[in-house]
Every structure is written in C-alpha cells, then in structure tokens.
Amino acid sequence: MKYAIVVSAIILALFSRAFLVSVYKVPSHTMAPTIISGDFVFALQTSYGIKFPWSQEVYFASRPQRGDLVAFLKDSKIFIKRVVAIEQDKLEYAGGEFTINSEKCVYGPPQALETAELSLVEEKCADFSNKVIRPSDLSKSPQTQKLKLENSQIFVASDNRSSENNPNMAETIALDQIIGKPVLVWMSYSSTQDFISKSLGVRWNRILTKLQ
C-alpha cells in the first residue's frame, strides 16, 4: 500500500511539473523590483490554456491582459516580462514613458535608489499599475518606438528599464511563445547583497510573495 502511495505521489508530481506548474530561478535584476536575482518563481502553465507536448491544440485558451507577467520562450531560453500592450494596440515609447492607444501612462514622483543613476517610480497605465526602475536621466532611455501590434502579438517589457543593464528590456512576442504566468516566489536566496532587498542568504521576507 505504501509503495502505491509513493508511486502515485511521484506520478502526480511529474504530471504537475510537465503540464501544470513550472519552476524558474531568476538569474538577474531585469524584472526588479517585482522579481529579483535569486528568486525561485512558480509559473502556471494553464493560465492561458492547456497544451500537451504531442499536440498543437490549445484547450480552454485565453489571452494575456495588460499588466500580466508572462514567461516566454525565445532562442531556446526562458524570459519573464510584463505585458504592456496587446493585440491591435497602438504603442509609443518615448523618453522612458509609454503611450497606449493615444493614452499616456502616468508616472509618480521618482524615489531615489542606492545608485543615483536609477530611480523607482510607479507606472499607471489604463489597465494596470506597477513600480518600475528607470534611469534618473530620461535622456538615457532607449530611442522612440512606435508600432501597431498585429493579431497574436503582444508587447512585453521588463520592470527594470535600465537599458545599460537590460538592452532587450522591451520587445514584441507572439502569443505562442508564452509558456506560463509567474504567480509566486516560493524561495529567494542570494550569496551577495543586492540594491533592492539589501540582504544576502535566504530572503525570508520574499518567500511566498504573490506576483502581480
């Protein structure tokens, strides 16, 4: 009986790992302050539909919304970024600030960080708000981008808008690149002190942090 329980538990764990939940260790600060280097993140593979490896069919499919965090595959690597614009949206990025469908996002007063070259600000767009890191001198932000998204395309960006440390901080991806939705930090550990949490070792205050 006990062997049957163990085998069942193993099968359930493997099934969950293959089809329901993925676990990622974040190696950089590209999504700081939301997710920081050393965070171990749970991502739900079923948030935008269920897809089996042997089939291209997606069951119970849904679309990501502006403000969602998504894990996606690019060049055989997994990245996590935030959805800024969705299908058919018109987007402009200029001076470190977004305009979506002619509605300019609102940015709160900058808060100083440990490094004077970067600031923490709250970004409020039509459907979502979150905190982002960006250059204190906005003239150092990436050049102006203007685009209109096609069907099955979304535009994603890092919460850390420091172009020096994150040259690919914003990009257009296809919906079929998405492999999950990060929802929880289940563990966080760093061997060096960072400028966000200002701690090292196990970051107890980040364990079971809900991501949004």
Side-chain angles (χ1 to χ4, degrees):
M1 179 66 179
K2 63 180 180 180
Y3 296 112
I5 294 175
V6 171
V7 171
S8 298
I10 292 173
I11 292 174
L12 179 60
L14 292 174
F15 179 85
S16 298
R17 181 67 181 85
F19 303 114
L20 303 180
V21 178
S22 295
V23 181
Y24 308 115
K25 181 183 179 182
V26 178
S28 70
H29 284 305
T30 57
M31 278 302 293
T34 306
I35 305 172
I36 61 179
S37 177
D39 282 352
F40 291 79
V41 174
F42 272 138
L44 294 178
Q45 298 181 33
T46 57
S47 294
Y48 303 114
I50 300 174
K51 183 177 180 180
F52 297 104
W54 56 82
S55 172
Q56 295 300 313
E57 192 76 23
V58 179
Y59 302 90
F60 309 108
S62 63
R63 295 293 204 255
Q65 302 299 308
R66 300 184 196 94
D68 283 1
L69 294 173
V70 292
F72 62 94
L73 195 64
K74 175 187 174 184
D75 299 329
S76 301
K77 296 180 180 179
I78 295 172
F79 297 87
I80 296 175
K81 292 184 181 179
R82 188 178 300 278
V83 179
V84 175
I86 57 177
E87 298 168 281
Q88 299 299 313
D89 276 350
K90 293 180 180 179
L91 180 75
E92 180 177 349
Y93 183 71
E97 299 182 346
F98 283 111
T99 298
I100 304 171
N101 297 326
S102 300
E103 184 175 345
K104 187 175 176 62
C105 296
V106 178
Y107 295 83
Q111 302 175 37
L113 292 173
E114 198 170 280
T115 170
E117 295 181 352
L118 300 175
S119 298
L120 181 69
V121 300
E122 185 174 8
E123 178 179 71
K124 293 182 178 181
C125 297
D127 305 283
F128 67 95
S129 66
N130 63 287
K131 290 186 177 180
V132 301
I133 294 172
R134 65 181 188 179
S136 299
D137 181 0
L138 293 180
S139 66
K140 296 182 179 180
S141 296
Q143 295 182 345
T144 299
Q145 295 184 57
K146 290 184 178 181
L147 57 91
K148 183 179 187 299
L149 296 173
E150 304 295 336
N151 288 330
S152 300
Q153 287 184 331
I154 60 173
F155 189 86
V156 296
S158 300
D159 286 351
N160 185 348
R161 309 282 169 77
S162 170
S163 58
E164 180 180 354
N165 297 322
N166 187 15
N168 298 316
M169 75 94 181
E171 59 188 314
T172 300
I173 66 169
L175 289 177
D176 61 10
Q177 290 178 251
I178 298 174
I179 56 176
K181 181 178 182 180
V183 294
L184 187 74
V185 176
W186 73 271
M187 173 57 73
S188 185
Y189 177 85
S190 178
S191 57
T192 57
Q193 185 168 312
D194 61 90
F195 74 102
I196 299 295
S197 67
K198 299 181 181 179
S199 63
L200 49 82
V202 177
R203 303 182 184 111
W204 298 102
N205 64 324
R206 291 193 61 77
I207 295 176
L208 301 184
T209 296
K210 183 179 179 182
L211 296 174
Q212 56 187 9

